[in-house]
Structures are given as structure tokens and as C-alpha cells.
Amino acid sequence: MAFAPLAGIRVLDVTTSIAGPYCAQTLAALGADDVKAERPDTGDDARAWGPPFWDGESPMFLSANAGKRSLAVSLREPRGREVVLRLAERADVFLQSLRPGLAERLGLGADVLRELNPRLVYCSVGAYGHVGRLRDEPGYDALM
């Protein structure tokens, strides 16, 4: 029997690169049902990280996103946001690594999502945290 302490937990994953995807992958490895929302044009930035490539895919992307389902959706389009909002209504965890303030500007901030789903655990992964002089600065985990 597989060890799946998070079986039945739904994660909505709006992350890119390494830190956020790795966090969500850990939850998926523990049995959570993870749905990753990616940009329709390029997907997660890490899809292009290489060489090396394995069958045209980045091993870094594959390892940080193992065990997830993926959905191509534009958060900038009303229809795309609607899809994410519907998924958030049924999710247990919302994990995002958007640039500081972008989730709020897109209507996907913690206050909005918790109003839709009061039991939602809202996680925001950022380069510099939520306090301090650099909190509003974007950061890229691969360059840190």
C-alpha cells in the first residue's frame, strides 16, 4: 500500500520555475491531487531549461512537476481566470508564485479566493518574503 497522507487534498498550483513547483511536487508526492495552471503559449518557464533535454523536455521541469496534472490557461483572460476561480472553490490549497502584487491585480489574491472558499490555504512563494524593503521586488529563484 502506498504512503499517501495527503490523499484527498486538492492543490491548485499557479507556480513557475523551481521553488513553487518543488513545493507543490512535494505535496503531490505525499498524495495530494495537484492541478498545475500554466500559460498557454510557453507553459512554465522551466520547460525550456536545458540542456540536457529528455525527449524534448527539461529534466528540471519534469522532476519539479512530477505527479501533477497540467492545464493551459491564461490568467489575463476572463475565461482563464474563471476556470481558476472555479478550481479554487473546490481546492484545499492554492499555491502561487506570481510577481508581487500580480495575483491581486488579476483577481486571484488571498482575500478574493478565501471569500470564495473560506477553508482554502493560500500560499504565496516569493523571492524576498512579505515584509522588508525588497518585498515588492520580483525575484527569480534560478538566479538567486
Side-chain angles (χ1 to χ4, degrees):
M1 177 175 223
F3 180 69
L6 298 182
I9 300 293
R10 292 181 177 154
V11 177
L12 179 51
D13 176 4
V14 183
T15 66
T16 66
S17 302
I18 298 173
Y22 177 73
C23 176
Q25 190 279 327
T26 301
L27 298 174
L30 291 170
D33 177 17
D34 188 303
V35 175
K36 179 178 180 75
E38 297 186 65
R39 291 185 310 266
D41 53 353
T42 60
D44 186 327
D45 296 335
R47 284 185 178 273
W49 290 357
F53 289 100
W54 183 64
D55 284 341
E57 295 283 347
S58 163
M60 180 80 249
F61 172 81
L62 294 173
S63 64
N65 291 283
K68 301 178 187 179
R69 294 181 288 148
S70 182
L71 169 68
V73 61
S74 174
L75 299 177
R76 297 187 185 279
E77 299 293 327
R79 288 178 57 198
R81 276 192 307 279
E82 179 60 32
V83 167
V84 170
L85 290 171
R86 280 187 306 197
L87 289 169
E89 287 177 333
R90 297 185 318 245
D92 298 295
V93 177
F94 180 82
L95 182 59
Q96 64 94 359
S97 66
L98 301 168
R99 288 184 309 280
L102 183 57
E104 290 76 14
R105 288 192 300 275
L106 293 172
L108 300 172
D111 293 342
V112 170
L113 295 188
R114 285 190 186 128
E115 190 166 315
L116 286 174
N117 181 350
R119 64 181 178 70
L120 185 70
V121 175
Y122 188 100
C123 303
S124 181
V125 177
Y128 302 106
H130 299 285
V131 296
R133 64 183 177 84
L134 296 176
R135 73 179 172 270
D136 294 327
E137 295 296 320
Y140 198 52
D141 45 4
L143 299 178
M144 299 304 275

